[in-house]
């Protein structure tokens, strides 16, 4: 059952749909897009089929986290879709830093991580899906899952995941949602105005993967090296001993941390 969320912001009120339970906010966003909706924010207290990157599941127990998808119809070129990913990751990082004082950072491409006692753990994952027709982006769905309750993280993931309630006493999903939304729309506006360079620089400054020893698993290869930077189309640059290799979609493991 869908209810409208009350917020202080009129724009939010017309965009936000809150559910108690959904299979996945991504799926619901797609349904809305196919119904002709251009812009919406879909949040739910639980997902029964939450989806992660690379076809993985995203555990989404009731009230365990923030599960939100932004349906947008951005005026950007399809080649810049990775920047939406970056924008979403940065939005979470800056909200956690500025409002909650949490020293969050990004692990390429867009996991949000925090550091406790020298151990880096994932607090948020992002999944961006897009419908593209030639040179046109028909719509994009940017899904963000933030772990809010430590108790809701499955025991097998606890060594590499963390939750907001480890850092702050009161986890309020509304504060989180509004803060992330504001940060995200701000960056989206810049992107639509063509200001891709600032976003890329902001990403590079907040990406903890750069400078780290990394292990890349591409499916058929495992490569060890040092991440040296991010290319202009969002790819990870890695010094492998045989020069710099570029990786645009791969699972990257920081060699020295538990991720
Ligand atoms: C990842 O694998 O790191 C990405 C996880 C993305 C999870 C979010 S939760 C809200 C939205 N709905 C989903 O089914 N997935 C995304």
């Amino acid at each position: 059952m869908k209810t409208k969320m009350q917020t202080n912001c009129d724009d939010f009120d017309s965009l936000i749909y809150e559910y108690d339970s959904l299979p996945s906010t991504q799926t619901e966003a797609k349904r809305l897009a196919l119904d002709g909706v251009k812009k919406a924010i879909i949040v739910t207290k639980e997902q029964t089929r939450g989806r992660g990157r690379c076809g993985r599941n995203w555990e989404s127990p009731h009230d365990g986290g923030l599960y939100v998808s932004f349906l947008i119809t951005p005026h950007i070129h399809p080649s810049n879709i990775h920047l939406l990913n970056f924008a979403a990751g940065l939005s979470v990082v800056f909200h956690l830093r500025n409002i909650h004082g949490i020293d969050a950072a990004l692990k390429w491409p867009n996991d949000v991580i925090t550091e406790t006692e020298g151990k880096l753990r994932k607090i948020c994952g992002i999944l961006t899906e897009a419908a593209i027709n030639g040179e046109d982006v028909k719509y994009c769905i940017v899904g963000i899952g933030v772990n809010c309750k430590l108790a809701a993280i499955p025991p097998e993931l606890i060594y590499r995941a963390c939750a907001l309630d480890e850092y702050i006493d009161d986890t309020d999903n509304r504060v989180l949602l509004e803060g992330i939304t504001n940060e995200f729309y701000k960056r989206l506006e810049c992107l639509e105005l063509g200001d891709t360079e600032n976003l890329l620089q902001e990403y590079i400054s907040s990406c903890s993967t750069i400078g780290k020893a990394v292990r890349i698993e591409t499916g058929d290869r495992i490569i060890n090296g040092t991440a040296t930077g991010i290319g202009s189309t969002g790819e990870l640059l890695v010094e492998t001993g045989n020069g710099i290799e570029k990786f645009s979609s791969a699972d990257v493991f920081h060699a020295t941390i538990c991720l």
Side-chain angles (χ1 to χ4, degrees):
M1 157 99 176
K2 184 190 85 177
T3 52
K4 281 279 174 82
M5 199 181 211
Q6 297 300 309
T7 70
N8 295 331
C9 170
D10 288 348
D11 193 28
F12 276 16
D13 194 41
S14 63
L15 294 175
I16 292 183
Y17 295 89
E18 188 185 37
Y19 296 79
D20 192 54
S21 179
L22 279 176
S24 160
T25 54
Q26 294 293 102
T27 318
E28 181 62 12
K30 183 173 178 188
R31 193 188 65 73
L32 288 172
L34 296 178
D35 262 6
V37 175
K38 302 274 179 236
K39 192 174 173 188
I41 304 169
I42 300 99
V43 272
T44 186
K45 293 197 164 96
E46 147 192 272
Q47 298 184 116
T48 52
R49 282 193 213 153
R51 295 196 278 115
R53 289 178 58 235
C54 309
R56 298 186 191 109
N57 296 330
W58 185 259
E59 296 287 339
S60 314
H62 201 273
D63 285 332
L66 175 69
Y67 317 118
V68 57
S69 292
F70 294 94
L71 167 61
I72 51 178
T73 312
H75 301 292
I76 60 169
H77 192 267
S79 61
N80 280 334
I81 282 185
H82 65 281
L83 292 173
L84 286 177
N85 253 342
F86 289 0
L90 284 166
S91 303
V92 177
V93 165
F94 277 85
H95 175 76
L96 294 181
R97 283 184 191 164
N98 296 343
I99 305 299
H100 302 297
I102 298 172
D103 187 17
L106 287 153
K107 169 181 167 273
W108 184 87
N110 56 356
D111 287 345
V112 179
I113 57 171
T114 67
E115 184 166 1
T116 337
E117 293 160 5
K119 210 165 83 174
L120 302 191
R121 293 177 298 152
K122 177 166 168 173
I123 195 164
C124 164
I126 292 161
L127 174 68
T128 297
E129 298 175 302
I132 294 164
N133 187 4
E135 297 282 287
D136 289 335
V137 176
K138 284 167 67 189
Y139 62 85
C140 284
I141 300 169
V142 180
I144 299 181
V146 182
N147 303 329
C148 292
K149 299 276 160 55
L150 186 64
I153 296 177
E156 67 275 16
L157 297 180
I158 207 75
Y159 75 99
R160 59 192 170 103
C162 66
L164 205 51
D165 67 351
E166 292 180 64
Y167 298 94
I168 55 173
D169 291 335
D170 262 344
T171 63
D172 181 334
N173 274 18
R174 173 69 64 82
V175 172
L176 200 56
L177 177 60
E178 289 193 10
I180 292 171
T181 303
N182 287 336
E183 294 281 352
F184 181 60
Y185 283 166
K186 206 165 65 184
R187 289 179 176 83
L188 184 59
E189 207 177 299
C190 290
L191 263 184
E192 290 188 305
L193 290 171
D195 185 4
T196 54
E197 194 45 41
N198 272 339
L199 190 88
L200 198 59
Q201 287 313 318
E202 195 180 33
Y203 180 84
I204 289 169
S205 318
S206 293
C207 180
S208 74
T209 309
I210 299 168
K212 291 245 170 38
V214 290
R215 188 178 81 248
I216 315 279
E217 296 183 0
T218 62
D220 56 348
R221 290 172 70 207
I222 296 182
I223 306 111
N224 291 303
T226 304
T228 56
I230 305 293
S232 60
T233 55
E235 67 276 30
L236 187 68
L237 309 179
V238 178
E239 172 58 66
T240 62
N242 293 319
I244 303 279
E245 276 200 58
K246 295 178 180 182
F247 295 92
S248 53
S249 79
D251 275 346
V252 174
F253 298 85
H254 290 191
T256 51
I257 60 167
C258 290
L259 272 175

